[in-house]
Amino acid sequence: MLEAFFTALMVLVCVGTVAFAGLTFKKLYQGQR
């Protein structure tokens, strides 16, 4: 049970990091144009 919780937490952190990086990259790309 604890392993599943930590796995879900890791997945959430990974998804959040990817989403944040994507938004930052998008803003930088739009700012250059």
Side-chain angles (χ1 to χ4, degrees), residues 15-25:
V15 171
T17 304
V18 170
F20 184 73
L23 280 173
T24 305
F25 185 74

Side-chain angles (χ1 to χ4, degrees), residues 5-32:
F5 175 73
F6 275 115
T7 302
L9 200 66
M10 284 280 290
V11 171
L12 280 175
V13 169
C14 285
V15 171
T17 304
V18 170
F20 184 73
L23 280 173
T24 305
F25 185 74
K26 191 177 178 182
K27 282 189 176 183
L28 283 172
Y29 186 71
Q30 283 182 348
Q32 281 190 340

